[in-house]
Amino acid sequence: MARLARATPSRRQWSRSARMSIGKVYLVGAGPGDPELLTLKAIRAIEQADVVVYDRLVSERILETIGDGVAQINVGKQADFHPVPQAEINDILVRLGRAGRTVVRLKGGDPFIFGRGCEEAAELEAAGIPYEVIPGITAAQGCAAAARIPLTHRGLATGVRYVTGHRKANEPLDLDWKSLADPDTTLVVYMGLSNIEEIVAELVANGLPIGTPVLAVCQGTTDRERRICTRLAMLPEAAREAAFSGPVLFIIGRVAGLALERSGHIDATTDAVPVVA
Ligand code: SAH
């Protein structure tokens, strides 16, 4: 918070900033963790920034690339623990923009994929603050590439769907299970770890074969990446045993079978021994 106080303008600075020209906010995707997966545009925006406002998902190695003279504001959120509420984040961005700052709002993955970037964009728009969106490599693409599997592939998956497995407290997951339980498309579940039992039960109840391959990736593309390959029926147990710490992504579908194949477990739908890829 001390950093936050330093980076946001005081009342006196406000009146001064009113005479200054308006700033600009870059809503930037930091990618899944590996700093080399930042885009050139993202790097340039970070280099030019006065302030970087970042999330919990932005990896330490990416934060290390931020120059010494750049103010940093951590607005990191964790499930059920929101140190800085979204409304306040919006407010920080608007205030910094009004104060003439060049701001990078740095988010894990892509800012517009389960990133609430669009809400921030709407606030900036309403406040008349110029902003630009710089896309990032979303976790699905980063994790799939790290495991050397495609998300779509001729003969295996005609499409891919990204869904959130997170639900509001005491509410059921609001997903169209019937359409998601489609063996011809790849299903990527973000934020699904704590509800994985329910997710698997719903998919199986709606007809997705229990032997469908699954790749689970924790902290994908970072030095701490961990992966397990398994099959749908075994997934809850395998995920429990893995005791993952950090963000976890599930890639469910035939394409995950390519990772399973590499790990040597391809023969039957029942050979569902969880294996480390
Ligand atoms: N905007 C982000 C997603 C934010 S939602 C993006 O485009 O990637 C947070 C979820 O993303 C996590 O719960 C996890 O499911 C996934 N995730 C993000 N980074 C990840 C990583 N490095 N490895 C595995 N999953 C990740």
Side-chain angles (χ1 to χ4, degrees):
M1 277 306 177
R3 268 186 178 162
L4 194 148
R6 242 181 291 133
T8 51
S10 68
R11 199 175 286 272
R12 212 153 49 124
Q13 286 167 318
W14 263 119
S15 52
R16 198 173 35 143
S17 67
R19 296 193 299 274
M20 288 162 56
S21 61
I22 207 147
K24 181 163 179 180
V25 178
Y26 293 86
L27 300 172
V28 180
D34 178 354
E36 304 229 313
L37 293 177
L38 281 163
T39 63
L40 289 177
K41 235 179 179 173
I43 292 170
R44 201 161 297 141
I46 292 168
E47 278 170 2
Q48 289 169 0
D50 301 315
V51 190
V52 174
V53 181
Y54 67 92
D55 273 347
R56 176 184 60 95
L57 272 179
V58 177
S59 73
E60 281 158 35
R61 285 189 57 208
I62 287 177
L63 294 177
E64 284 165 11
T65 69
I66 300 172
D68 287 342
V70 182
Q72 294 181 30
I73 303 178
N74 178 0
V75 292
K77 288 179 285 201
Q78 293 178 15
D80 305 321
F81 178 62
H82 294 218
V84 182
Q86 185 63 47
E88 202 174 312
I89 297 174
N90 298 345
D91 199 45
I92 290 169
L93 298 179
V94 168
R95 277 195 290 159
L96 289 168
R98 280 203 182 120
R101 307 290 174 93
T102 300
V103 183
V104 162
R105 170 67 174 115
L106 197 57
K107 289 167 172 284
D110 182 89
F112 279 10
I113 294 187
F114 306 125
R116 304 192 74 168
C118 199
E119 292 168 48
E120 294 170 10
E123 291 287 330
L124 293 165
E125 186 105 43
I129 312 284
Y131 69 93
E132 191 176 321
V133 181
I134 301 181
I137 293 179
T138 191
Q141 290 168 277
C143 292
R148 295 175 293 144
I149 64 163
L151 291 171
T152 66
H153 186 66
R154 195 180 294 213
L156 293 181
T158 55
V160 55
R161 290 229 243 170
Y162 297 166
V163 298
T164 168
H166 178 71
R167 65 171 160 209
K168 291 191 189 129
N170 305 322
E171 282 181 32
L173 280 167
D174 187 19
L175 293 170
D176 179 358
W177 298 109
K178 191 106 217 109
S179 79
L180 293 179
D182 173 10
D184 293 326
T185 59
T186 306
L187 181 63
V188 181
V189 183
Y190 287 71
M191 295 174 276
L193 184 61
S194 49
N195 297 319
I196 199 60
E197 260 172 58
E198 182 182 344
I199 291 165
V200 169
E202 291 283 5
L203 290 173
V204 171
N206 283 276
L208 197 62
I210 57 166
T212 302
V214 182
L215 176 68
V217 184
C218 181
Q219 301 199 53
T221 81
T222 72
D223 301 336
R224 299 191 203 116
E225 173 172 321
R226 285 180 61 211
R227 279 181 235 141
I228 57 168
C229 294
T230 185
R231 295 188 188 274
L232 195 57
M234 300 290 291
L235 178 56
E237 195 187 327
R240 239 190 338 268
E241 277 174 14
F244 289 130
S245 76
V248 177
L249 187 89
F250 298 100
I251 300 176
I252 303 171
R254 291 191 198 112
V255 290
L258 298 173
L260 206 54
E261 203 171 305
R262 249 182 244 124
S263 62
H265 290 259
I266 46 169
D267 311 336
T269 53
T270 49
D271 69 342
V273 187
V275 287
V276 176

